[in-house]
Amino acid sequence: MRWVTNRVKRCKLICISFYMIYIRNTGMTLHQLKIITTLIDNNLNLSLTANKLFRVQSAISNQLILLEEELGGKLFERRGKRLIKLTPLCETLLPEVERTLLAGSNIKALALERTSSDKGNLRIATTHTQARYFLPQVIREFRTEYPEVRMSIYQSSPAEFLRMLRQRKIDFAIFSSEEDVPANFSKTKCYAWNRVLILRQGHPLENTAIDLTKLAQYPIITYMPDFAERNIVERTFSEANIEIEIAFSAGDTDIIQTYVRLNLGIAIVAQMAQSKSSLAGDDEELVFRDLSHLFTPSTTYNVHLEELALRGYMNKFSELLQHHGQQFQKQLV
């Protein structure tokens, strides 16, 4: 099945490569097309775009003028020397521009796969929880097999991940999501998980049955508003017509635990945050209680651009995510 998928992708790339030859013959260049997307990524700021592309601002302006002359119309509306918004022409062309730039990147990747299959870069974006608790075993095994692949992990919020994928700043985004990703993205399940309650020892909820009403009696510490994990928590209370006070929020489960220790509130976090030391009863300050009977499970996915040409080591990393995800899920039960 993978062989068939790769053949289909390669056929698409061949078609797009002919389109790129057409672009070159008309005078347009990939660099000029890159100027368009970089301008959009940087709020139409010419100075920032020039810095990103390692060019002087005048060179960027001149290339943009040449491209507009070639196309026979303006791509951006201007106020003096400032660009203020995209023209209808630019909005029409943008999907093709992005596909062409992706094809250029894919052609380079396919060539490198033939000449340097065990070397390259792997860029991942994920949350602190995934980087801290799930990914270490995956990365250790991957690095054993591909020691010459340079890896980068970007920690951000899930709201940023699809944008980073579109801009090809990353190859994979590993995060929990409730919603379907757009059609041009591929989403593969890693594992499912639920939530735990974190308390200071001696808290009234330490040894009693827990329900939503009892949780709502205390200030709650949980994830940032743009995390799917937070959305599920808030929606669960809302559907039960129970009001809660979010006293503190963070994207880092270690920070959340710190503020539970400071008695700022009780915490509702991913069950992965329950360390082995706490399971063994070695944590003298904190108590962890299972909340899977109160909340619906969440799922962590590996997401990438559907049309991205995955190199061999990228496919291997994706396979490891699925394999370790299955094992990781069993450990959480």
Side-chain angles (χ1 to χ4, degrees):
M1 181 62 69
R2 178 183 297 167
W3 178 82
V4 173
T5 302
N6 288 339
R7 287 292 298 272
V8 171
K9 286 186 176 181
R10 289 179 187 223
C11 288
K12 289 181 180 179
L13 287 173
I14 290 171
C15 294
I16 294 176
S17 66
F18 282 114
Y19 177 62
M20 291 172 65
I21 291 172
Y22 165 77
I23 287 178
R24 183 181 62 198
N25 290 337
T26 61
M28 286 180 281
T29 66
L30 288 177
H31 175 66
Q32 288 175 325
L33 299 183
K34 182 66 176 176
I35 290 174
I36 297 175
T37 58
T38 307
L39 276 168
I40 294 171
D41 293 342
N42 289 278
N43 299 316
L44 306 188
N45 187 305
L46 282 166
S47 179
L48 288 177
T49 298
N51 290 337
K52 293 285 186 180
L53 297 177
F54 303 102
R55 299 288 191 275
V56 296
Q57 185 171 329
S58 59
I60 296 296
S61 298
N62 290 336
Q63 286 296 313
L64 184 58
I65 291 171
L66 289 173
L67 180 58
E68 289 178 327
E69 290 176 352
E70 179 70 32
L71 294 172
K74 297 295 183 182
L75 295 170
F76 300 95
E77 293 186 13
R78 293 166 169 81
R79 181 175 296 149
K81 294 184 177 180
R82 292 177 55 244
L83 307 180
I84 57 173
K85 68 176 183 177
L86 281 63
T87 64
L89 173 62
C90 188
E91 292 176 348
T92 300
L93 297 179
L94 189 58
E96 293 300 327
V97 169
E98 292 175 339
R99 277 192 285 269
T100 302
L101 290 172
L102 177 60
S105 176
N106 284 345
I107 289 170
K108 291 180 182 178
L110 291 172
L112 286 171
E113 188 62 22
R114 289 290 183 180
T115 58
S116 305
S117 61
D118 59 346
K119 298 178 181 178
N121 297 294
L122 181 60
R123 303 163 302 169
I124 304 162
T126 191
T127 61
H128 169 269
T129 301
Q130 306 301 333
R132 171 70 175 82
Y133 300 102
F134 171 54
L135 286 178
Q137 292 296 326
V138 178
I139 291 174
R140 181 168 64 179
E141 184 172 340
F142 176 81
R143 289 287 296 168
T144 300
E145 186 167 347
Y146 293 96
E148 295 190 72
V149 173
R150 296 183 296 273
M151 298 190 69
S152 304
I153 297 182
Y154 300 88
Q155 282 186 223
S156 185
S157 65
E160 291 292 306
F161 292 156
L162 295 184
R163 180 185 63 82
M164 296 173 75
L165 286 168
R166 286 192 187 95
Q167 296 173 2
R168 299 192 309 284
K169 293 181 177 180
I170 56 173
D171 304 302
F172 294 126
I174 302 162
F175 64 104
S176 300
S177 174
E178 302 175 69
E179 303 173 356
D180 292 333
V181 298
N184 57 330
F185 291 91
S186 174
K187 183 172 77 170
T188 305
K189 177 182 175 180
C190 295
Y191 66 97
W193 54 273
N194 214 300
R195 286 149 189 82
V196 292
L197 176 67
I198 308 179
L199 309 163
R200 280 169 52 106
Q201 284 202 0
H203 192 280
L205 295 180
E206 181 176 351
N207 296 306
T208 186
I210 299 174
D211 58 31
L212 295 176
T213 302
K214 289 180 180 178
L215 292 176
Q217 293 174 8
Y218 303 94
I220 292 174
I221 307 172
T222 191
Y223 298 107
M224 302 291 287
D226 54 355
F227 280 56
E229 296 91 329
R230 164 81 170 261
N231 296 336
I232 290 179
V233 169
E234 291 186 319
R235 186 174 67 241
T236 300
F237 282 101
S238 176
E239 290 174 350
N241 294 316
I242 299 174
E243 293 186 4
I244 57 173
E245 175 193 352
I246 303 294
F248 184 85
S249 59
D252 186 320
T253 51
D254 290 338
I255 291 176
I256 289 174
Q257 291 186 38
T258 296
Y259 284 91
V260 173
R261 290 186 176 94
L262 293 176
N263 205 28
L264 191 62
I266 62 175
I268 300 175
V269 298
Q271 68 186 121
M272 297 82 81
Q274 187 168 0
S275 64
K276 292 182 179 179
S277 62
S278 66
L279 288 170
D282 296 334
D283 194 318
E284 298 180 354
E285 294 184 71
L286 301 180
V287 175
F288 292 76
R289 301 289 308 275
D290 176 57
L291 295 179
S292 58
H293 62 294
L294 298 178
F295 298 96
T296 57
S298 293
T299 303
T300 294
Y301 296 97
N302 176 31
V303 180
H304 66 83
L305 276 173
E306 178 66 36
E307 297 299 324
L308 179 71
L310 297 181
R311 297 188 58 186
Y313 63 78
M314 292 179 177
N315 280 315
K316 178 62 177 181
F317 187 78
S318 184
E319 291 172 2
L320 288 174
L321 287 172
Q322 294 181 65
H323 172 72
H324 281 274
Q326 294 171 1
Q327 302 302 315
F328 193 72
Q329 183 170 327
K330 292 177 181 178
Q331 296 172 11
L332 294 176
V333 177

